[in-house]
């Protein structure tokens, strides 16, 4: 079937490619004409303006937006202004699910359906397929089923498709907002899993702490039993072995093993970990609903710290220690 | 080759079965004669006492112990007393790696090798193979290679074995203690991953909080935007869809999806989560070496809370609130 | 000077008493006429309706609201409708600072000043004075200075008043919203301090764990060194001694020592710890601004857990353990 | 009465001064002869060697050690070798309570009493008195009562002494080890309280986040409501006002207000927060006894992070993000 795709970054462009490979017709648009041109070469129909983009869509028009969260709302308004009753707007970006709830309500009065699709799979989605978490009205979601079926991985691992579309990698989670809500929590879990691996590997890396000289002063806690910290663990090998038969095997572990194989000391990275919002929103939902989320919040807060945001708090601690105990700070290495 | 296995519980018995299936000769012993008899029927050589067990092992004798951590040390001493220089004792249980370091030192003076093997794979190991993290002297570990190769999953997923044994599912991590150390951290990570999934799913489960009536009193935080919490999410379907193409896919998620499919409300469980020690030890190692582990510790502490151990602290909080604000406690449902 | 007080609960009534004792004239109103009557007996001017209440206030009318957060917004609107330009509404309750920002903007167009006052001191405020964190326009805050000076403790501890009003216990923190923002963070810190004491005392209480029998099964982590956990610590005495010269002395500790003296086992409490919203809002502000708050969030989440909200997550953990390891749950005592 | 003091650093020297002011006779020793000379000038009896030090003590000899934890054990052995049955060794340093339990057992066989005294009060103890948490045999502790009574603050705040010595600031907590155990938990709580203040103040400091320009890219979570983050809060004034009548008033807050008054931006500090061991030991005790301590552990781990120990974990997170999503790290400022 035909679908329009606006926002041809890493994700959007690859989704177009996966759709075209399976025979779908794609109308594409981006503020960067080069991005449009590239996909036109591969068989897509290019658009030169928003009007042109919506104009080229057959009825009911289906426009999939793959844009930064910060501008999605504005563009949805502009696209909707060009649409007619019965048309469908799909937001596949990392937008806040509140926006989906609000926008869907607004568009419903114009009889335009709003479908929010949480999309996981990253740069690997082109090849592996994308996991799709979908919110929106039943009719619109059903209409888009061929698109979802193509984008999703499919039940390629032998699982019988009897469990519905979930075992093919896409799921209608509920009304508008339910898709982004589910994707939001997915990312919250992702933060927690990533942190679990990172903390564990950091401990393994310190398994040789007993070999290092440690100063014995009143500001440094002594390592009582250095004989128990004499191991030089090969982290690349350990992450590789864990992939085979252990309880903690996962796709993230597979990627991590790959990274550590080529760059065990991670020289290329500085350790400033970004967060794009979904971890924050997950925690706000936990707080609103009174659900404890100590692991997910710890994972989020270590990212904030990596961004330098604990600096003032740390200085306060040093200042207090000086004030009550006369403790002089050791220099930061 | 021949190997002795003592401790024929769930793990030990299945390991014997996997070894025999691949042609190894197993001498088996357990304090429960029925456990011995069962494996004898399947082809193992049974032993009636520790003396008999060690006596039936060809030189160099290789005795694999699969016992509760609490008694392993004592049994190692008894087995070692019956052994000769050049023999090998393997501890495949969830022992503390400190014990492995200590025991190895003690046995080295008698020229008996001590090999500690962290074993992951649970009840699925018989079929899938066990992930083995191995510590000990090179010669002994090499001698046991055929055993490890059989127990491990093998490179069945197509990965070339070029990366060494790790891609077959077993790894010599370092000297005695390194195996249990690596397994300990593995379990620490496991706690963190499990908690990440559990917290996320708990938030998803509360996505319908806006439908519930919430009292408006000074003791209850109001839900400001109930319109954003109107989703009834199907957790079994969501865990299933996440298995296909998402970033958080894992073997644990696969098991979780299976559990939720058959019992979405988890009626069979009360929520008292045991911990068998390795999460605790992981944190102690983090503390000793000064490595931050907020996620792993949060995961451990929620288990302690599930065991009822936060009760007195909670009562103190209620008491303080009463003392400064006259707040009366709401009844626990 | 004259002030109107609406909302004569524990906090509001005591504030009226403290104000009258210092010579201020109080007009009082509550939906419960008995609450009004009680204060009229003590010298206040009673009102029988909102109209009567506002009508009895001299110009510029100053109406202080001490109401549950959930209804404050609605009442502010009703009071404002009865007021004239130049009048002042004060919200002294535990409202969200967002509301203060929004309301202030709305009322500014009518030239009615909105002053948000975070009020700490609890049931002890009548005697000790209230700590006041104030947001709002300079003119209105200045006009109310005599009221604030009376409600606050004053510089009774000998601190020279040279530091401005802060050392008398009240502070103009900034424009509308700044008062409730500061009070919100105050309460967030309160959660953290309370939890720090509660956790520490819970550890002290377990200092005799080595005396108890502990089962040795695969589901229970063994206590390796029971000889180090043989202490029966008197928590009432310890909290008392800490009040005298230690680094952790505080008013909360004083109250805690008092509680433990009369009821060391805290039989009167069940351990369900309420939260009235400010801890949640503090965390949301931390999340919005990217500030790590692991301690404050841990404190909040233990409250959620005490309310039973971790139950489903705990069941999931037990279910996973059963799925991968065949671990049977121990019964919850 | 007479007492010997060895270790004349900040704490030891001030304790000698407080003891002499109250009429006690002090024999003093330190490896630094200047420290001895300084106190001799103020009236103490100096010693030139360990032998001289013990030799000058009247029977029963009472030797108080105020030494770094790392060397205390060795010096206790040397002092004990010079002592006779009935003598008393007091350890007032920040030693691990395990050592107290072990040493007490060893010395008991020689009929030398070992008394462990946890000492809080820091550089302010000389003037305010020290809070003393005492472990050891009843007879020895009773013998030392005049010393403890002098060092402690006394019931100067009007509290009747009826509650026993606790309300004078010293407490016999139990057998050997109970003093250091109680002090250890005291410091654990201290970490939690300090972190609660530091996190809260860091959030207050960010209350103006809405004024800053924030980039809108896919790596940065947008601040949705900048209008709610427009406050420039005066942290020195806020900490001052909280001291007067609020629920979170404490001695630590008093010190913090003092620090912020003179140096609001904390330029003098770099934010590397040391930990001297007691926070670590507190958590190990929590882990051993299965007591949840999420707040205390979060406080400890932020210190580890401030020491740079989360760097490798952070790099791993960036590497994983790059691996699954192609996310490029933003530069660390």
């Amino acid at each position: 079937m035909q679908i329009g795709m606006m926002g041809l970054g890493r994700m959007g462009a690859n989704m177009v490619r996966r759709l075209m490979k399976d025979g779908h017709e794609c109308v594409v648009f981006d503020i960067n004409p080069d991005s449009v041109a590239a996909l036109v070469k591969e068989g897509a129909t290019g658009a030169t303006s928003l009007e042109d983009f919506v104009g080229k869509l057959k009825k009911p028009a289906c426009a999939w937006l793959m844009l930064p969260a910060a501008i999605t709302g504005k563009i949805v308004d502009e696209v909707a202004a060009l649409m007619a009753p019965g048309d469908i707007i799909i937001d596949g970006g990392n937008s806040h699910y509140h926006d989906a709830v609000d926008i869907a309500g607004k568009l419903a009065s114009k009889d335009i359906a709003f479908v929010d699709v949480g999309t996981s799979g990253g740069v690997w989605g082109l090849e592996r397929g994308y996991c799709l978490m979908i919110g929106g009205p039943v009719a619109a979601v059903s209409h888009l089923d061929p698109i979802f079926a193509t984008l999703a991985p499919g039940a390629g691992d032998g699982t019988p498709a009897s469990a519905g579309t979930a075992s093919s990698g896409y799921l209608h989670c509920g009304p508008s907002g339910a898709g982004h809500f589910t994707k939001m929590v997915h990312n919250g879990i992702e933060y927690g899993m990533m942190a679990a691996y990172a903390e564990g590997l950091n401990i393994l890396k310190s398994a040789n702490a007993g070999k290092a000289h440690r100063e014995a002063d009143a500001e440094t806690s002594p390592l009582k039993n250095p004989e128990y910290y004499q191991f030089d663990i090969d982290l690349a090998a350990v992450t590789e072995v864990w992939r085979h038969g252990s309880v903690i095997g996962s796709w993230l572990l597979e990627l991590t093993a790959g990274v550590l194989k080529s760059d065990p000391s991670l020289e290329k990275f500085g350790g400033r970990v970004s967060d794009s919002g979904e971890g924050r929103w997950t925690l706000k939902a936990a707080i609103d609903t009174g659900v404890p989320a100590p692991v997910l919040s710890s994972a989020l807060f270590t990212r904030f710290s990596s961004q330098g945001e604990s600096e003032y708090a740390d200085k306060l601690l040093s200042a207090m220690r000086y004030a009550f105990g006369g403790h002089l700070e050791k220099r930061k290495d």
Side-chain angles (χ1 to χ4, degrees), chain A residues 209-216:
Chain A
K211 293 183 171 179
H213 173 73
R214 194 184 276 224
E215 291 170 65

Side-chain angles (χ1 to χ4, degrees), chain A residues 178-223:
Chain A
H180 282 165
F181 189 94
T182 304
K183 174 58 169 30
M184 169 188 85
V185 173
H186 167 281
N187 281 30
I189 293 173
E190 181 186 301
Y191 281 38
M193 287 176 65
M194 287 171 68
Y197 286 123
E199 291 181 7
L201 292 171
N202 202 10
I203 296 170
L204 275 182
K205 185 167 174 291
S206 293
N208 63 2
K211 293 183 171 179
H213 173 73
R214 194 184 276 224
E215 291 170 65
D217 58 45
E219 294 301 291
T220 308
S221 180
L223 179 57

